[in-house]
């Protein structure tokens, strides 16, 4: 039975704590032994809300890690605090699972990859879009070769989101706080390295954000695969799914995916005519049950720790998604194409 400490007990922790309580695999293989927050009363209230009695509560993470010696650290702190928290966890001998983004800057992310490698411990990142039935079904269709060779992925994200709080004052708010989900999902589906990007960032009239509520980006991936992203967090009137809407094109056909579990797919079914005849195809259901969302990422991480395998969202791979964000911001700031570069 693995033991875990949670650092950061704000609203995001509700989803984590619900998963730890309700998912049988997690209940059977790990238990939470401590919660840390700068305001210990926040941790106390969160523990009470989820019926967690007898936990250690503290405002001092290094002290708790030294006292409890947990196997796992769950990092839910705000991005500017992430580096210090992950560093402390790895130094204390913990495997660490962090909320996204994996670091506040690309340089910090590179440093964390190095620290995890040196420590021999896992550092993985919550990228919950990879653990949804819809994306798994699309990925299986692509990998089966049904669409032929992948050529382009076009993604739209348009939501009028009124958060209030820190997001309203952020620079590059869409790219930094949301687009990484879509970029990571695209990278998962394309299964090639991103090479370069040209990005335009705007803050449309009527935006309730201080900066960068909308962006358009064109990414080049290896093997000539293109990805386009159009997004806005201040687009009222016709919200897409939080997971975006997708057009995925191969040499044999196209699948339209609404981001949830709505699909429309066709492949070419003949060799004559100005418009070649098309055949509708099904996107098969999953062959095995899937633990979805945050719970799926946490379960995958725990399973990797217990088995000595590599989690799907390990930091040494996920850093490429953060690099896409960094390159998009650099391109938008400079008004020029930028390489997606980890050197």
């Amino acid at each position: 039975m693995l033991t875990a400490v949670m650092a950061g007990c704000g609203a995001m922790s509700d989803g984590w704590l619900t998963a730890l309580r309700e998912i049988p695999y997690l209940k059977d293989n790990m238990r939470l032994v401590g919660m840390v927050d700068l305001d210990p009363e926040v941790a106390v209230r969160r523990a009470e809300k989820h019926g967690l009695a007898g936990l250690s509560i503290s405002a001092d993470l290094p002290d708790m890690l030294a006292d409890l010696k947990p196997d796992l650290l769950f990092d839910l702190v705000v991005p500017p605090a992430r580096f210090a928290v992950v560093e402390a966890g790895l130094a204390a001998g913990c495997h660490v699972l962090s909320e996204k983004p994996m670091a506040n800057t690309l340089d910090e992310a590179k440093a964390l990859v190095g620290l995890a490698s040196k420590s021999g411990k896992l550092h993985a990142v919550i990228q919950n879009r990879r653990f949804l039935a819809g994306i798994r079904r699309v990925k299986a269709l692509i990998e089966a070769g049904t669409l032929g060779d992948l050529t382009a992925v076009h993604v739209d994200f348009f939501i009028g989101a009124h958060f209030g709080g820190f997001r309203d004052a952020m620079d590059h708010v869409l790219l930094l706080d949301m687009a990484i989900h879509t970029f990571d999902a695209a990278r998962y589906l394309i299964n090639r390295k991103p090479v370069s990007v040209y990005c335009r960032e705007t803050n449309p009239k009527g935006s309730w954000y201080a900066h960068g509520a909308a962006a358009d980006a064109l990414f080049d991936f290896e093997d000539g695969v293109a990805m386009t992203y159009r997004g806005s967090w201040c687009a009222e009137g016709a919200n897409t799914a939080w997971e975006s809407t997708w057009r995925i094109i191969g040499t044999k056909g196209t699948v339209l995916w609404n981001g949830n579990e709505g699909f429309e797919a066709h492949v070419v079914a003949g060799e004559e005519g100005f418009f070649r005849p098309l055949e509708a195809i099904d996107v098969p259901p999953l062959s095995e049950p899937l633990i979805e969302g945050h719970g799926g990422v946490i379960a995958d991480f725990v399973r990797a720790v217990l088995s000595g395998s590599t989690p799907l969202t390990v930091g040494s791979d996920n850093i490429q998604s953060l690099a896409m964000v960094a390159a998009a911001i650099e391109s938008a700031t400079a008004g020029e194409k930028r390489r997606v570069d980890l050197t």
Side-chain angles (χ1 to χ4, degrees), residues 237-321:
N239 288 346
T240 63
W242 281 98
E243 290 73 26
S244 305
T245 59
W246 301 68
R247 178 184 291 265
I248 300 164
I249 304 170
T251 54
K252 296 180 180 178
T254 293
V255 59
L256 305 179
W257 172 39
N258 71 358
N260 295 311
E261 292 196 62
F263 308 96
E264 181 183 340
H266 294 83
V267 295
V268 174
E271 298 181 356
E272 302 293 335
F274 182 78
F275 290 116
R276 296 298 194 250
L278 300 178
E279 176 187 356
I281 58 171
D282 293 329
V283 179
L286 296 181
S287 59
E288 297 180 357
L290 176 69
I291 302 174
E292 292 197 282
H294 268 63
V297 187
I298 301 168
D300 181 62
F301 176 72
V302 170
R303 189 176 293 111
V305 171
L306 290 172
S307 66
S309 59
T310 301
L312 181 60
T313 60
V314 67
S316 56
D317 176 73
N318 192 250
I319 192 173
Q320 293 185 54
S321 299

Side-chain angles (χ1 to χ4, degrees), residues 2-323:
L2 298 174
T3 59
V5 162
M6 177 176 287
C9 301
M12 184 65 71
S13 66
D14 276 331
W16 286 67
L17 294 170
T18 298
L20 298 183
R21 184 181 70 247
E22 294 184 352
I23 294 173
Y25 178 81
L26 295 176
K27 290 171 61 178
D28 292 344
N29 288 283
M30 60 145 295
R31 63 187 178 93
L32 193 66
V33 295
M35 298 175 71
V36 177
D37 197 274
L38 292 176
D39 182 351
E41 287 302 314
V42 171
V44 169
R45 290 194 295 271
R46 199 68 65 187
E48 290 175 347
K49 177 180 178 180
H50 289 270
L52 298 169
L55 293 185
S56 294
I57 303 290
S58 177
D60 192 311
L61 178 61
D63 278 357
M64 179 174 283
L65 296 179
D67 289 343
L68 299 182
K69 297 180 174 55
D71 302 296
L72 313 175
L73 173 62
F74 295 149
D75 157 32
L76 285 69
V77 300
V78 295
R82 179 141 297 132
F83 183 87
V85 166
V86 177
E87 183 180 37
L90 295 172
C94 299
H95 301 279
V96 184
L97 179 61
S98 292
E99 269 293 343
K100 62 84 187 168
M102 69 175 289
N104 203 42
T105 67
L106 191 55
D107 284 341
E108 287 185 355
K110 292 176 184 177
L112 289 180
V113 170
L115 288 173
S117 178
K118 185 177 179 180
S119 70
K121 300 297 180 181
L122 293 175
H123 176 219
V125 185
I126 290 285
Q127 290 290 356
N128 54 355
R129 270 52 172 188
R130 293 187 178 214
F131 289 82
L132 296 174
I135 197 169
R136 293 294 181 94
R137 292 173 66 185
V138 174
K139 186 169 179 64
L141 188 77
I142 293 169
E143 291 182 342
T146 306
L147 300 178
D149 294 330
L150 204 62
T151 61
V153 175
H154 302 289
V155 192
D156 282 348
F157 174 87
F158 293 103
I159 285 182
H162 295 262
F163 291 101
F166 72 93
R167 288 181 180 86
D168 286 4
M170 282 179 63
D171 288 340
H172 314 290
V173 62
L174 179 70
L175 290 173
L176 273 177
D177 198 58
M178 188 63 205
I180 190 167
H181 279 305
T182 308
F183 294 175
D184 185 74
R187 198 169 60 81
Y188 179 57
L189 292 175
I190 295 170
N191 197 29
R192 293 165 177 82
K193 287 186 178 181
V195 175
S196 62
V197 60
Y198 181 82
C199 182
R200 182 187 67 137
E201 190 179 37
T202 62
N203 204 40
K205 183 177 181 179
S207 171
W208 48 94
Y209 297 92
H211 183 269
D216 304 284
L218 170 60
F219 284 94
D220 293 312
F221 280 72
E222 291 178 335
D223 297 332
V225 180
M227 175 216 167
T228 64
Y229 171 82
R230 302 187 302 175
S232 174
W233 250 357
C234 60
E236 299 281 31
N239 288 346
T240 63
W242 281 98
E243 290 73 26
S244 305
T245 59
W246 301 68
R247 178 184 291 265
I248 300 164
I249 304 170
T251 54
K252 296 180 180 178
T254 293
V255 59
L256 305 179
W257 172 39
N258 71 358
N260 295 311
E261 292 196 62
F263 308 96
E264 181 183 340
H266 294 83
V267 295
V268 174
E271 298 181 356
E272 302 293 335
F274 182 78
F275 290 116
R276 296 298 194 250
L278 300 178
E279 176 187 356
I281 58 171
D282 293 329
V283 179
L286 296 181
S287 59
E288 297 180 357
L290 176 69
I291 302 174
E292 292 197 282
H294 268 63
V297 187
I298 301 168
D300 181 62
F301 176 72
V302 170
R303 189 176 293 111
V305 171
L306 290 172
S307 66
S309 59
T310 301
L312 181 60
T313 60
V314 67
S316 56
D317 176 73
N318 192 250
I319 192 173
Q320 293 185 54
S321 299
L322 185 61

